[in-house]
Amino acid sequence: MDLTMGSIGSGIGRLGKLSEVALASIFLHAGYRVARQPGGPAKKLDAFTRRYLELEIPHSPELVRLNAVVMVVAGAALALGVRPRTAAAALALSLQPTNVVGHPFWESRDAERSSELNAFLSNVAITGGLLAMAGARDPQPARSSDTGR
């Protein structure tokens, strides 16, 4: 079985498709959960904006829900292969406020700091994967001189 890029009709191959579905899964799960219950993340957003920006965000639960809906829609698009580069870019962008507001490791101590830093860095790594997908080019068809024939 060929798991290299470009092995199926879409041009990304089975391994590429698997990576799209794997990355999409976290956004589908978390986005759905937060869209249904935005209260906790909205409280974190309110506390963050008060502390660091010295302002009140009106309708923070709706903003949190909107970001979660973007994650669900873009996650579904990525999983289904619908404009995957655009979906990956949208997910990379929507993850950033979630990461900074949701995992402020710099405010924590000891075990909590380690846990928050791990979550923050995991999201940074996910962002890297999404940016790689967003910037990926479709593989060029092999030329006869490339195949060794």
Side-chain angles (χ1 to χ4, degrees), residues 49-70:
T49 56
R50 267 189 245 108
R51 181 170 183 171
Y52 294 103
L53 304 177
E54 299 179 355
L55 57 95
E56 296 289 324
I57 300 281
H59 311 290
S60 57
E62 288 82 4
L63 289 173
V64 167
R65 184 174 278 133
L66 176 62
N67 191 49
V69 168
V70 167

Side-chain angles (χ1 to χ4, degrees), residues 142-149:
R143 296 183 306 232
S144 60
S145 62
D146 293 340
T147 61
R149 292 183 209 165

Side-chain angles (χ1 to χ4, degrees), residues 77-100:
L78 185 62
L80 296 171
V82 177
R83 300 194 53 95
R85 293 176 60 200
T86 302
L91 290 169
L93 288 172
S94 69
L95 183 56
Q96 301 323 299
T98 300
N99 200 26
V100 172

Side-chain angles (χ1 to χ4, degrees), residues 1-147:
M1 172 160 66
D2 181 14
L3 293 178
T4 60
M5 298 296 281
S7 62
I8 61 174
S10 69
I12 65 162
R14 290 180 187 102
L15 193 56
K17 185 63 190 162
L18 180 61
S19 66
E20 289 176 349
V21 172
L23 272 169
S25 66
I26 188 69
F27 294 98
L28 292 168
H29 170 72
Y32 176 75
R33 183 179 41 81
V34 171
R36 290 194 51 187
Q37 297 180 335
K43 286 180 184 175
K44 283 185 170 188
L45 175 60
D46 290 338
F48 184 91
T49 56
R50 267 189 245 108
R51 181 170 183 171
Y52 294 103
L53 304 177
E54 299 179 355
L55 57 95
E56 296 289 324
I57 300 281
H59 311 290
S60 57
E62 288 82 4
L63 289 173
V64 167
R65 184 174 278 133
L66 176 62
N67 191 49
V69 168
V70 167
M71 288 183 176
V72 170
V73 171
L78 185 62
L80 296 171
V82 177
R83 300 194 53 95
R85 293 176 60 200
T86 302
L91 290 169
L93 288 172
S94 69
L95 183 56
Q96 301 323 299
T98 300
N99 200 26
V100 172
V101 171
H103 303 293
F105 63 89
W106 56 91
E107 294 178 355
S108 305
R109 298 279 177 244
D110 302 326
E112 181 184 356
R113 179 181 176 92
S114 180
S115 177
E116 289 292 350
L117 181 58
N118 187 54
F120 185 91
L121 292 174
S122 293
N123 284 342
V124 169
I126 290 167
T127 299
L130 290 166
L131 292 175
M133 282 186 173
R137 296 178 187 254
D138 288 334
Q140 298 297 319
R143 296 183 306 232
S144 60
S145 62
D146 293 340
T147 61

